[in-house]
Amino acid sequence: MHGGNHWGGSFEIVNNGDHPHHHTDDEKSRNMDQWDKASLQHSQSQRYHHLDETQQSWLLGPPEAKKKKYVDLGCVVCSRKALKWTLWSFVIAFIVIALPIIIAKTIPKHKPRPPPPDNYTLALHKALLFFNAQKSGKLPKNNGIPWRGNSGLSDGNATTDVKGGLVGGYYDAGDNSKFHFPMSFAMTMLSWSLIEYDHKYKAIDEYNHARELIKWGTDYLLLTFNSSATKINLIHAQVGGSQNGSSVPDDHYCWERPEDMDYTRPVQTVTSGPDLGGEMAAALAAASIVFRDNNAYSKKLIKGAKTVFDFARDGGKRNRYSRGNPFIEPFYNSTGYFDEYMWGAAWLYYATGNVSYISLATNPGLSKNSKAFFMIPDQLSLNWDNKLPAAMLLLTRFRIFLNPGYPYEDMLRMYHNTTTLTMCAYMKDVSFFNWTRGGMIQLNRGRPQPLQYTANAAFLASLFVDYLNATGVPGINCGPNFYKLEKIQSFATSQVDYILGKNPMKMSYVVGFGNKFPRHVHHRAASIPHDKKYYSCTGGFKWRDTRNPNPNNITGAMVGGPDRFDQFRDLRSNYSYTEPTLAGNAGLVAALVSLTSSGGRGINKNTMFSAVPPLYPQNPPPPPPWRP
């Protein structure tokens, strides 16, 4: 057997159908050649299989490495292609996202300029300065009004029940009188605006200034009665003033700077005053919320508010504080006191959480006696004498945000409905009030000094809008018409814009705001030069009667305003046009801060209720863990 034929048998190749002897020599030669090649290849392959690995490597060299398609990462085996794409994705993400951030972080930053303040903010800065100009007493060094100095340092020195006299407080208007009734209202309004919009005051850096102005007033009000006692029988209602037709030196006959006053300044003391006591209680209680971070002072204010409100509620002392007093009645005559009961009780409830005050504020007798639900035009206009619209809005706040339910719900719902109707009455197309052709609502029915009523209404409307916005209510129904909140807000802005210059006279009625404003303001201190000369009672007449502008602009003062035909005469002798008042400017400040966009929109919902206890039973604490 041949070595190359492992299977045995002959190597002869037989062709079927042909005899082997018939093949030619060439065919045999070709068959042999094919056999020799196949035998050789087979023989070589056989010998190759008998070589070990080392010998194979000598003959063939190193084996060709195959490229792996997968990468072993230890705990994960992934495709090489996927890994490649993942790494490239990280690189691209770094370039696109991380690198710009790193560059932005390393480049020195330049803070963008804040947006310019709106007109309401600019006017607000000025309106607050008016209170600095009206201060009586020993002024702080940073008062900021160079033409004002210490004055009234002997006020009330003849009173025996007030230690140190009645030094301090604010002069009411362009005269040198201190009327405590409108002064209290002004402090209540300032406090209310600061409680609701503290974030806005802070944003324009007026928060501390506003608090200082409020404290200047409340410190003085605490002097006007025995605030350390729990029961009192009198209040000092006024310092200075005069009687109509008087020809003796006094606050109205004389035209004299407060710093030069050398005439007798009588003090008016009342032994009954439900209206005065109610308003003073409101002012002190509201301020106690403002100063809640000063625990000692806040408690002092609350104690004083309780004392003076008890005086107001004394059954034997319920005669109007101004009744029959010739020094008060012609100037700040009160027409009733049930609105002050509602107003003062609401503020005392928010300040103390004592349910007796909210029970009084929602007593049907108050609304009945004050005719709160009669929709009388004069009752819908907030001012120093009528607090009904403000008191009902303040109590509506209680219903909107805390929803106390029984036993207060019935009255609160009626207050809420009446407040809504008041807002409807402010809408021009409802035609409840007359309007001037220039766009001013006539809330005082065409009488002089209309702007203080306009500013107060703008504040109430703007605040009401913020209340409803905070609860997601889109508007109000006024009969068959639905008014969106934007319509009510538009009323508020239109009235304040009128005051600031969008009127037929093209005049700003706030001194120092805009290019055209009153220059002959009815104001003694502003009209007499600050030249360190003394001008007597009658020596100041030449400054009163001159046609020259005032040498001192009383910045921020809102004057009385135009007549019912939108006409205004810039005359110092006509106080109806050109005299500013403390209460009027307080309403202006409140309206301006409610409208400004500085500090963001909306109100502070919670501070007002910080002393109000939970209205519903709280969940009992869980029982202690069981122990054997």
Side-chain angles (χ1 to χ4, degrees):
M1 183 177 290
H2 295 283
N5 184 7
H6 300 289
W7 302 103
S10 173
F11 277 110
E12 281 186 32
I13 300 176
V14 179
N15 192 354
N16 292 334
D18 292 325
H19 194 276
H21 295 289
H22 292 171
H23 289 299
T24 66
D25 292 337
D26 290 339
E27 287 175 340
K28 291 181 180 179
S29 178
R30 282 197 301 270
N31 289 338
M32 285 299 293
D33 289 341
Q34 290 176 1
W35 175 87
D36 289 340
K37 290 178 182 178
S39 175
L40 179 61
Q41 289 175 358
H42 184 78
S43 175
Q44 287 176 345
S45 174
Q46 190 70 19
R47 288 197 299 269
Y48 176 78
H49 282 295
H50 289 288
L51 297 177
D52 61 19
E53 292 182 359
T54 302
Q55 293 169 329
Q56 292 177 30
S57 66
W58 292 345
L59 294 172
L60 302 177
E64 184 180 354
K66 291 186 177 180
K67 194 172 183 180
K68 295 182 179 179
K69 294 185 178 180
Y70 297 93
V71 179
D72 188 351
L73 299 178
C75 59
V76 177
V77 176
C78 68
S79 166
R80 178 181 292 274
K81 196 172 187 180
L83 179 62
K84 178 181 177 182
W85 279 108
T86 302
L87 291 175
W88 274 110
S89 299
F90 277 116
V91 171
I92 294 171
F94 176 81
I95 295 172
V96 173
I97 300 174
L99 192 60
I101 293 175
I102 294 171
I103 294 172
K105 292 285 186 181
T106 56
I107 295 176
K109 292 182 179 179
H110 298 282
K111 291 184 178 180
R113 291 184 179 181
D118 55 33
N119 283 340
Y120 306 127
T121 299
L122 296 174
L124 179 58
H125 286 303
K126 298 178 184 298
L128 287 167
L129 284 176
F130 171 75
F131 292 88
N132 294 64
Q134 293 300 101
K135 285 181 180 177
S136 177
K138 188 174 181 178
L139 303 184
K141 292 181 180 179
N142 62 346
N143 192 49
I145 309 297
W147 45 272
R148 285 301 325 279
N150 298 335
S151 64
L153 299 182
S154 60
D155 282 354
N157 59 2
T159 57
T160 58
D161 63 320
V162 179
K163 185 178 180 180
L166 295 168
V167 178
Y170 292 97
Y171 298 115
D172 176 67
D175 52 25
N176 300 332
S177 303
K178 296 192 293 193
F179 294 98
H180 301 168
F181 190 45
M183 187 192 302
S184 298
F185 173 71
M187 295 303 104
T188 311
M189 291 292 287
L190 288 183
S191 292
W192 192 9
S193 71
L194 193 140
I195 293 167
E196 302 281 16
Y197 299 107
D198 60 332
H199 54 292
K200 295 190 177 187
Y201 277 106
K202 290 174 182 176
I204 64 171
D205 200 24
E206 289 285 7
Y207 180 72
N208 291 329
H209 182 203
R211 281 166 57 103
E212 185 270 329
L213 295 177
I214 294 167
K215 191 173 186 297
W216 188 269
T218 53
D219 281 350
Y220 176 75
L221 293 178
L222 290 171
L223 298 177
T224 63
F225 64 98
N226 186 1
S227 57
S228 62
T230 56
K231 187 173 179 61
I232 59 174
N233 57 11
L234 59 86
I235 299 176
H236 300 298
Q238 180 177 319
V239 177
S242 68
Q243 298 186 61
N244 274 340
S246 172
S247 59
V248 299
D250 59 27
D251 283 339
H252 285 166
Y253 177 76
C254 297
W255 195 268
E256 197 170 19
R257 298 176 70 241
E259 292 78 2
D260 295 335
M261 293 184 300
D262 54 1
Y263 48 80
T264 302
R265 286 168 57 78
V267 175
Q268 305 303 314
T269 303
V270 298
T271 55
S272 66
D275 33 24
L276 176 61
E279 184 56 65
M280 289 178 68
L284 298 175
S288 76
I289 300 174
V290 170
F291 293 101
R292 188 149 284 156
D293 58 339
N294 184 342
N295 190 53
Y297 189 61
S298 183
K299 286 183 176 179
K300 184 178 182 180
L301 291 169
I302 289 174
K303 185 178 186 300
K306 290 179 178 178
T307 299
V308 77
F309 196 68
D310 287 343
F311 172 85
R313 292 285 295 159
D314 191 325
K317 302 180 183 299
R318 294 192 182 179
N319 288 319
R320 291 177 292 109
Y321 93 106
S322 57
R323 185 176 179 181
N325 189 316
F327 285 88
I328 303 176
E329 201 168 34
F331 305 102
Y332 283 102
N333 180 46
S334 172
T335 57
Y337 53 83
F338 288 101
D339 55 328
E340 280 85 17
Y341 279 170
M342 188 187 299
W343 179 237
W347 279 114
L348 272 164
Y349 176 63
Y350 293 150
T352 66
N354 189 325
V355 296
S356 66
Y357 293 118
I358 190 63
S359 296
L360 174 62
T362 55
N363 188 307
L366 295 188
S367 57
K368 178 181 178 181
N369 286 292
S370 62
K371 300 178 181 178
F373 305 142
F374 283 34
M375 295 299 291
I376 300 171
D378 284 350
Q379 302 288 61
L380 306 185
S381 176
L382 172 62
N383 56 77
W384 56 265
D385 182 39
N386 174 47
K387 286 83 181 192
L388 275 176
M392 287 190 285
L393 178 58
L394 192 64
L395 291 165
T396 296
R397 188 191 209 279
F398 184 43
R399 181 176 190 250
I400 287 176
F401 293 116
L402 295 188
N403 190 24
Y406 180 85
Y408 315 114
E409 171 61 17
D410 287 345
M411 288 305 301
L412 291 177
R413 184 178 67 253
M414 295 178 74
Y415 291 153
H416 192 166
N417 290 341
T418 304
T419 298
T420 301
L421 291 174
T422 300
M423 298 301 145
C424 294
Y426 292 164
M427 299 298 101
K428 188 173 184 179
D429 50 357
V430 171
S431 300
F432 188 88
F433 288 101
N434 291 328
W435 289 60
T436 67
R437 288 188 177 181
M440 179 182 65
I441 189 172
Q442 293 184 283
L443 293 167
N444 67 334
R445 296 192 291 176
R447 294 189 288 264
Q449 299 179 321
L451 293 185
Q452 59 181 302
Y453 306 93
T454 302
N456 287 338
F459 170 62
L460 294 184
S462 182
L463 186 57
F464 182 67
V465 168
D466 282 338
Y467 288 172
L468 296 189
N469 264 328
T471 50
V473 177
I476 60 175
N477 289 306
C478 299
N481 299 322
F482 178 79
Y483 290 95
K484 293 183 178 180
L485 295 185
E486 290 80 1
K487 180 79 171 180
I488 306 172
Q489 189 76 12
S490 177
F491 161 77
T493 55
S494 71
Q495 297 309 290
V496 174
D497 289 347
Y498 183 100
I499 294 171
L500 297 182
K502 290 185 179 180
N503 53 64
M505 299 294 293
K506 307 297 182 186
M507 171 176 279
S508 164
Y509 294 119
V510 177
V511 176
F513 181 82
N515 296 322
K516 183 181 179 182
F517 52 82
R519 304 281 182 168
H520 302 78
V521 179
H522 183 95
H523 195 276
R524 285 160 174 78
S527 67
I528 298 176
H530 179 59
D531 55 8
K532 298 184 179 179
K533 294 182 181 179
Y534 167 78
Y535 295 97
S536 66
C537 170
T538 56
F541 286 175
K542 65 178 180 179
W543 304 113
R544 180 194 67 186
D545 299 334
T546 180
R547 294 185 179 181
N548 295 330
N550 288 348
N552 311 303
N553 275 331
I554 182 162
T555 302
M558 182 182 72
V559 297
D563 59 24
R564 58 195 180 96
F565 302 108
D566 298 304
Q567 297 301 301
F568 179 82
R569 302 183 67 190
D570 191 6
L571 294 174
R572 191 179 299 108
S573 59
N574 194 327
Y575 64 88
S576 295
Y577 289 114
T578 59
E579 187 172 24
T581 65
L582 206 65
N585 251 72
L588 174 66
V589 165
L592 289 170
V593 75
S594 74
L595 293 176
T596 179
S597 59
S598 301
R601 300 290 183 183
I603 58 166
N604 181 334
K605 292 195 293 185
N606 300 320
T607 300
M608 182 78 78
F609 301 129
S610 55
V612 176
L615 299 174
Y616 304 103
Q618 301 299 295
N619 292 329
W626 180 83
R627 290 180 181 177

